[in-house]
Amino acid sequence: MYADDTKVADSGRVTSASGVKHLTAALAGANELRLVVTDGGDGTNSDHADWAAPVLTC
């Protein structure tokens, strides 16, 4: 997760065996939140993310 251009949270590499990852990040003062998925290190086949029930609070 990026707040503007600053990485504020990272789940690390996640596989089907990893289970659920919960991320929390401070976003105060940011204008943009980006949720970024990258290559898992084994090619780009099947790389994806499921952002289930994200919550933003003020």
Side-chain angles (χ1 to χ4, degrees):
M1 286 193 291
Y2 287 82
D4 295 329
D5 292 323
T6 302
K7 186 187 286 188
V8 292
D10 188 333
S11 67
R13 186 168 186 254
V14 178
T15 68
S16 59
S18 298
V20 174
K21 298 278 184 165
H22 295 273
L23 299 177
T24 302
L27 304 174
N31 292 309
E32 179 180 66
L33 168 64
R34 290 186 295 130
L35 306 177
V36 178
V37 180
T38 61
D39 174 23
D42 56 359
T44 58
N45 290 338
S46 299
D47 290 337
H48 68 281
D50 297 320
W51 301 96
V55 176
L56 298 175
T57 58
C58 297

